[in-house]
Amino acid sequence: MLPGPRPPRVPSPLRVLPLLLCLLLPAGCGGGRPPADAAERDVRRAVADWSRTPPERLAGIPLEDWAYEVASVRRDGVRASVRARLRYRLAGYDAAPADSERALELALDGGTWQVRSDRPAPGALPQLWDQGAVTVVRGTYALVLGSAGQETLAEVAAEADRAVPAAGEAWPRPWAGRVVVLVPGSLERMAQLLGRPAEDYRGLGAVTTGRVGAGTGPADRVVINPEGYAELSGPGRRVVLTHEVTHVATRAATTATTPLWLSEGFADWAAYRGTSSTPEQAAPALARAVRRGELPAGLPPTEAFAFGGDPDAVARAYEGSWLACRMIAGRWGEAALVDLYERAGREPWPTALDEALGVDPAALTEAWQDALRAELG
């Protein structure tokens, strides 16, 4: 049966009132964010004017595309607090902008808003220049920024200039062929830049930061631990920097599926490649374990590389990873090792092994264990 005609609906006063208010109010009722009042617009304009160029104290740093994007404004009379995102590039190094969450404080002075302070936003990592004056040294392949003296930074740049070609020889694939090195003033300041406890980096010479995968992003930063780096010999510094620069070189081929032992082992293989270091010399912790009859049951798992872990266990993980890559390069060839690295970042691990080396995971582990017995036993 078809329904009969419905009586006309009478608009409810409760529904009509909001409509009338929408028509009467100048802002309208689009449901979006209301427009900023004049004072907020003045604050935003003041930030835009202030941030047109980098501060004069950063003039030595090759910055470009420097801009602050205001996210929020909170006013309290003649003062204002602003949350903003700073974006910038290091000219000649960053393929995409680096960014930083910032907290700005402004004050009304003579009818004009003036920026009084610029700090990392709560919970955000600081920039190197937040820690004090920055000295800049340019090498052939390296840009070194730091709080140390010119002579120290020049030595780091010279070592980085040796590391870049060495990494390129080990990784014969396209990459930027240059590196940004940060040298903070202390271990504690290094930890602040990275957002982790200082104890996590004690004893390390350097670490590398960056985004894994082939997506466009700012250049990786090699961050020196000035205390750990100072304790290294000349050859030790060369190994450390070549290791870290190799991470920069292989970054585009490294993904979440790349085994950590392969990533770290390849970087060490590149660092020791061409040196006279023997397995006994470069893998002392693992050599002691093998002589005690403690042959590893498998290739090092991800958790074996955890910051703050047992130093001897971490050392064995790195040493075992290096020897695995050394064994692959010696048995199947350097080109096969590079091919395996590339495949491991885009294919399931068993498939990558089969395509690159023609073995399965169990066979690779057995070959590695045989090599450990032969070279360290």
Side-chain angles (χ1 to χ4, degrees):
M1 181 173 65
L2 295 175
R6 296 181 178 177
R9 296 182 62 183
V10 178
S12 165
L14 295 177
R15 295 181 180 175
V16 172
L17 181 59
L19 177 61
L20 291 175
L21 290 174
C22 287
L23 295 174
L24 293 173
L25 291 174
C29 289
R33 177 181 175 180
D37 60 21
E40 180 174 329
R41 287 196 299 270
D42 289 344
V43 170
R44 289 173 176 270
R45 187 179 302 112
V47 172
D49 292 343
W50 166 81
S51 64
R52 290 188 191 282
T53 56
E56 186 176 347
R57 62 189 177 86
L58 305 184
I61 304 175
L63 296 167
E64 63 181 5
D65 298 339
W66 179 274
Y68 281 71
E69 179 183 325
V70 175
S72 66
V73 175
R74 189 177 71 252
R75 290 184 298 107
D76 181 11
V78 297
R79 298 188 178 278
S81 299
V82 170
R83 290 291 295 266
R85 181 184 294 273
L86 166 64
R87 288 189 172 88
Y88 66 90
R89 297 174 190 253
L90 293 178
Y93 292 87
D94 288 336
D99 57 31
S100 174
E101 296 290 340
R102 311 295 294 180
L104 310 180
E105 296 294 331
L106 292 86
L108 197 58
D109 184 2
T112 303
W113 288 100
Q114 302 288 339
V115 176
R116 298 303 189 196
S117 68
D118 172 18
R119 301 185 301 274
L125 299 181
Q127 298 294 302
L128 183 65
W129 52 80
D130 290 320
Q131 298 178 339
V134 175
T135 301
V136 181
V137 172
R138 293 174 181 266
T140 303
Y141 307 109
L143 175 68
V144 182
L145 312 175
S147 306
Q150 189 87 11
E151 183 178 350
T152 298
L153 299 185
E155 291 174 356
V156 172
E159 203 61 75
D161 279 346
R162 286 187 283 267
V164 169
E169 290 175 6
W171 181 254
R173 296 291 186 268
W175 67 289
R178 54 188 182 270
V179 64
V180 178
V181 184
L182 306 183
V183 188
S186 66
L187 169 61
E188 288 69 25
R189 290 189 170 185
M190 174 201 187
Q192 290 171 5
L193 292 177
L194 300 172
R196 296 182 65 97
E199 286 302 315
D200 286 356
Y201 303 110
R202 194 174 300 281
L204 298 182
V207 297
T208 302
T209 68
R211 302 174 185 174
V212 298
T216 301
D220 293 357
R221 306 316 193 217
V222 175
V223 186
I224 298 288
N225 169 9
E227 297 177 13
Y229 191 79
E231 295 174 357
L232 296 171
S233 64
R237 294 176 181 180
R238 191 159 305 164
V239 166
V240 164
L241 271 180
T242 305
H243 175 107
E244 300 304 335
V245 171
T246 301
H247 282 315
V248 176
T250 60
R251 182 69 71 198
T254 308
T255 71
T257 66
T258 306
L260 190 54
W261 73 261
L262 180 59
S263 176
E264 296 298 342
F266 188 93
D268 263 356
W269 172 75
Y272 284 112
R273 182 176 174 270
T275 72
S276 58
S277 296
T278 66
E280 184 75 24
Q281 293 169 333
L286 187 56
R288 290 192 297 269
V290 171
R291 286 196 296 268
R292 291 194 302 264
E294 299 171 4
L295 189 72
L299 289 159
T302 297
E303 56 270 20
F305 299 90
F307 283 123
D310 173 48
D312 196 64
V314 173
R316 293 197 302 271
Y318 276 93
E319 293 167 2
S321 299
W322 166 58
L323 289 170
C325 289
R326 182 175 180 273
M327 181 269 297
I328 292 169
R331 181 168 176 176
W332 285 278
E334 294 187 1
L337 175 60
V338 172
D339 184 39
L340 175 63
Y341 197 106
E342 289 184 304
R343 291 179 180 278
R346 65 175 188 263
E347 299 173 356
W349 177 239
T351 303
L353 268 179
D354 182 54
E355 293 292 334
L357 308 183
V359 298
D360 60 18
L364 178 67
T365 299
E366 185 177 352
W368 172 65
Q369 290 171 327
D370 288 344
L372 296 184
R373 291 189 190 95
E375 297 192 300
L376 302 179

